[in-house]
Amino acid sequence: MKKGVFIVLLPVLAIAAVLLFGAFEKKQPVPELPKAASRPNIILIMADDLGFSDIGCYGSEIKTPNLDYLAQNGIRYTQFYNTSRCCPTRAALLTGLYNQQAGIGKMTDDDNTPGYRGHLTENTVTLAEVLKSAGYQTGMTGKWHVSNTIVQKNPQEQMAWLTHKKDFGDFSPVSQYPTSRGFDKYFGNIWGVVDFFDPFSLVSGTKPVTSVPKNYYHTDAISDTTVAYIKSFAKASAPFFLYVAETAPHWPLMALPEDIDKYKDTYKAGWDAIRRARYEKMSKLGLIDPAKTPLSERWNNDLSWENNPDKDWDARAMAVHAAMIDRMDQGIGRMIKALRETGQLENTLILFLSDNGASPENSAAYGPGFDRPGETRDGRKIDYDLKKQVMPGSQTTFASIGQRWANVANTPYQFWKAESYEGGAHTPLVAFWPKGITAKKGSYSAQVGHVMDFMSTFVELTGATYPKTYNGHAITPTTGISLAPSFAGKKSVGHETLFNEHFGARSARSGDWKLVSASRDTTWHLFNLSTDRTETKDVAAQNPEKVSQLKALWQQWASTHQVLPKPGKKN
């Protein structure tokens, strides 16, 4: 009898590191549970800084045949949300809670405030802990980024650590590592930013990986390790859960030459042409209704592509971004192949999404420091080029696509990563499960969903129990809603209300009404998503009562979910 498989896709890289470093395996007693063929294995895959329209089945020109296959034989979601930033989204995804409830309201620094501890707090359980209690094998590959980072007080020592010249031990408290939060096996990076050819904070289980092969590329390492885990888990009778946390296509822009070459001419057409082509493809796919989803104005459209003095650099930057996504898709193809070869594909639920919208950041402006090295392991200087004179793509330059291309990547929406507008918090989501999804193949679901919904979904599908207490600690009840009805093609509203807050960026969605403010502008803006999905027409002045209602809802949520500003403080 074959066990079920559930997969959720996130950006991952193939690696021979499993053979080189060995997979960490934590021996723990597994409770005896009835073995049922209907219980799926689960693979959750999440990309990093992937734009809403960055994969083929969501409108892109980037070659993603494997994700397209999953979409054509599964379902796509049109109203699914993350929390607009990497580690907060990971916290909500892993725990089934709003990220502040899980202790990660900002990043991984500890503010000693309940919602802002910078790590998963003791009132939480992870997907791995819950599924492990139901007899699942559990594994993770890729980016963790939900634990307090250990930083050297001496900046010179920190830089020596980043360049692998000194070893200062653990990258975070080991009690906060994946293998301490329910994962039997783990290979990946504990911190967020990585050099794709020689990543910092790389571990196998809890053991630091001190060197990598000459031809190492992190996306491939994640993918190959995931394949190895699939093959290993498939030998046992128990079902498995895999969380694949890709680092692609997060900056720095680093890709393999053969992948970059595929897109060397693609983006010479410029911002407007690519954005318009994506919008038209999305309309043709039926992913959007143009009447209700007007194409928002291009960001900073005062500069035309024809007059852009840096068009060669900009075209190359987006080509590298595309190459990173292409390579991630290749690895997902190898995962699908491994599932098929081990007889698991039919009863595997695969979910793929992004942790936030595409990033507008200028990574060169940050310069070396904290998690960004100044040179490679072998002493080559890394360029943080502000003048766009050094072409991106290699290990010796830290670059990013910038605001205009991020706006294109998030077509048709405005804004990007870290903002609560649709361009920051609206993610593609693909669900594939041949045995379990009975909705029409290639169809769309309008269920309003959120990354915290995976907990309720998995609990329902596997018969697991979300606990009231765990390891002696009271566990906050999950606020997620199961996606299972959408798998059967049933209409489900999902969340009647959804909220967000990140570094001052805020939103409250109630039905089709959305109240939102940007991180650097506290003014509330109101949009009716039933007619204006791209938030182009602020109707706050015409609807003051609705503004007051949603503002009060947001404040009530903030006061009860450990969200700053603290209750009582004017905002």
Side-chain angles (χ1 to χ4, degrees):
M1 181 182 294
K2 294 177 182 177
K3 59 182 177 292
V5 178
F6 184 146
I7 300 180
V8 178
L9 302 180
L10 298 170
V12 181
L13 172 62
I15 182 174
V18 175
L19 298 176
L20 184 64
F21 308 120
F24 178 88
E25 203 161 339
K26 195 174 182 181
K27 304 285 186 182
Q28 290 188 359
V30 176
E32 285 295 326
L33 292 170
K35 294 181 175 59
S38 59
R39 289 209 298 165
N41 295 324
I42 300 170
I43 300 176
L44 173 60
I45 301 171
M46 186 165 65
D48 196 353
D49 285 7
L50 179 89
F52 184 79
S53 64
D54 263 345
I55 56 177
C57 54
Y58 273 80
S60 180
E61 67 293 331
I62 300 171
K63 297 175 178 64
T64 57
N66 296 295
L67 287 171
D68 296 350
Y69 164 79
L70 297 176
Q72 290 158 7
N73 292 278
I75 53 179
R76 276 164 282 183
Y77 291 78
T78 60
Q79 300 194 85
F80 202 81
Y81 290 88
N82 49 47
T83 74
S84 81
R85 194 65 172 266
C86 44
C87 35
T89 289
R90 291 159 209 279
L93 175 146
L94 282 164
T95 65
L97 304 171
Y98 277 109
N99 53 290
Q100 291 90 350
Q101 291 178 295
I104 303 185
K106 293 195 306 186
M107 304 296 283
T108 56
D109 49 317
D110 189 348
D111 283 1
N112 288 314
T113 304
Y116 299 81
R117 298 302 309 276
H119 69 274
L120 299 181
T121 43
E122 293 175 336
N123 63 297
T124 67
V125 283
T126 68
L127 293 169
E129 287 167 334
V130 170
L131 294 176
K132 189 176 181 67
S133 71
Y136 272 67
Q137 304 173 86
T138 59
M140 179 185 168
T141 55
K143 178 174 173 177
W144 180 236
H145 209 202
V146 284
S147 57
N148 294 136
T149 47
I150 296 174
V151 182
Q152 304 309 305
K153 293 181 180 180
N154 184 320
Q156 292 179 332
E157 290 188 339
Q158 179 67 14
M159 293 305 294
W161 200 15
L162 288 172
T163 55
H164 313 285
K165 293 178 174 59
K166 285 190 177 182
D167 181 7
F168 292 98
D170 301 326
F171 304 103
S172 290
V174 172
S175 62
Q176 299 173 11
Y177 272 37
T179 49
S180 298
R181 295 307 308 255
F183 290 99
D184 296 324
K185 297 182 177 184
Y186 173 65
F187 173 83
N189 48 297
I190 296 296
W191 287 30
V193 173
V194 296
D195 170 341
F196 280 78
F197 297 101
D198 194 3
F200 175 72
S201 78
L202 190 63
V203 302
S204 179
T206 59
K207 183 179 180 181
V209 176
T210 58
S211 63
V212 296
K214 186 177 181 180
N215 61 348
Y216 185 94
Y217 186 67
H218 196 43
T219 301
D220 284 337
I222 293 171
S223 298
D224 289 346
T225 305
T226 303
V227 167
Y229 286 177
I230 290 170
K231 291 179 178 179
S232 174
F233 285 151
K235 295 175 182 177
S237 59
F240 61 82
F241 166 60
L242 276 171
Y243 170 38
V244 181
E246 302 276 3
T247 54
H250 193 293
W251 55 265
L253 291 169
M254 292 182 181
L256 299 174
E258 60 266 33
D259 293 329
I260 299 173
D261 193 57
K262 296 179 187 179
Y263 303 95
K264 63 181 180 180
D265 297 322
T266 303
Y267 299 101
K268 292 179 180 179
W271 308 302
D272 292 294
I274 298 297
R275 196 162 182 258
R276 172 57 63 177
R278 289 192 178 193
Y279 182 75
E280 291 176 356
K281 182 178 178 180
M282 296 168 90
S283 301
K284 187 178 295 185
L285 288 171
L287 184 67
I288 60 171
D289 179 350
K292 299 177 180 179
T293 314
L295 181 61
S296 60
E297 188 175 292
R298 178 171 67 78
W299 185 261
N300 280 354
N301 63 2
D302 54 310
L303 177 65
S304 70
W305 182 258
E306 290 72 22
N307 293 329
N308 175 20
D310 301 312
K311 61 169 67 76
D312 290 342
W313 191 98
D314 286 334
R316 167 75 175 200
M318 193 61 183
V320 180
H321 178 80
M324 296 169 79
I325 294 168
D326 186 311
R327 177 60 60 159
M328 176 183 68
D329 183 80
Q330 293 175 45
I332 290 169
R334 294 198 293 278
M335 297 174 209
I336 295 170
K337 182 173 181 284
L339 289 167
R340 184 177 287 117
E341 290 176 346
T342 55
Q344 304 298 322
L345 186 62
E346 288 300 304
N347 200 21
T348 295
L349 171 58
I350 302 174
L351 293 170
F352 175 86
L353 73 157
S354 180
D355 63 349
N356 46 248
S359 171
E361 297 163 286
N362 182 353
S363 62
Y366 294 143
F370 182 52
D371 55 5
R372 304 171 303 278
E375 61 181 33
T376 62
R377 185 191 294 260
D378 56 7
R380 289 171 293 149
K381 181 179 179 295
I382 294 174
D383 285 305
Y384 289 81
D385 174 29
L386 290 170
K387 296 182 179 180
K388 296 187 175 181
Q389 295 179 342
V390 180
M391 287 293 175
S394 73
Q395 186 184 11
T396 54
T397 178
F398 261 51
S400 52
I401 59 174
Q403 291 181 340
R404 289 186 176 92
W405 278 127
N407 184 211
V408 174
N410 294 327
T411 301
Y413 303 110
Q414 301 187 78
F415 293 103
W416 35 60
K417 173 183 180 177
E419 297 293 349
S420 293
Y421 282 81
E422 296 290 288
H426 188 189
T427 176
L429 174 65
V430 177
F432 168 90
W433 183 15
K435 187 173 181 179
I437 292 178
T438 57
K440 182 181 178 181
K441 289 183 178 181
S443 62
Y444 300 101
S445 172
Q447 179 169 332
V448 178
H450 190 277
V451 290
M452 61 185 166
D453 295 342
F454 294 131
M455 179 68 79
S456 295
T457 305
F458 297 173
V459 164
E460 179 174 347
L461 295 176
T462 65
T465 300
Y466 184 86
K468 293 182 178 179
T469 61
Y470 188 80
N471 286 344
H473 300 284
I475 301 302
T476 302
T478 180
T479 43
I481 296 174
S482 176
L483 297 171
S486 65
F487 296 164
K490 297 178 181 178
K491 289 187 177 180
S492 174
V493 173
H495 291 271
E496 290 282 358
T497 59
L498 273 179
F499 304 93
N500 197 47
E501 186 277 331
H502 185 64
F503 282 101
R506 305 167 297 175
S507 68
R509 174 173 174 167
S510 178
D512 287 321
W513 291 100
K514 183 177 175 184
L515 191 68
V516 61
S517 69
S519 56
R520 298 185 181 182
D521 178 8
T522 58
T523 305
W524 285 110
H525 303 276
L526 181 69
F527 303 97
N528 187 338
L529 298 182
S530 67
T531 57
D532 182 22
R533 289 300 310 277
T534 45
E535 301 165 316
T536 60
K537 298 175 182 178
D538 182 4
V539 294
Q542 296 90 338
N543 298 274
E545 291 183 1
K546 182 60 68 174
V547 171
S548 296
Q549 177 194 1
L550 291 183
K551 184 177 178 181
L553 283 175
W554 187 91
Q555 185 61 60
Q556 181 184 31
W557 169 76
S559 299
T560 55
H561 287 72
Q562 303 182 162
V563 180
L564 295 176
K566 292 181 180 179
K569 183 177 179 180
K570 290 185 69 176
N571 62 311

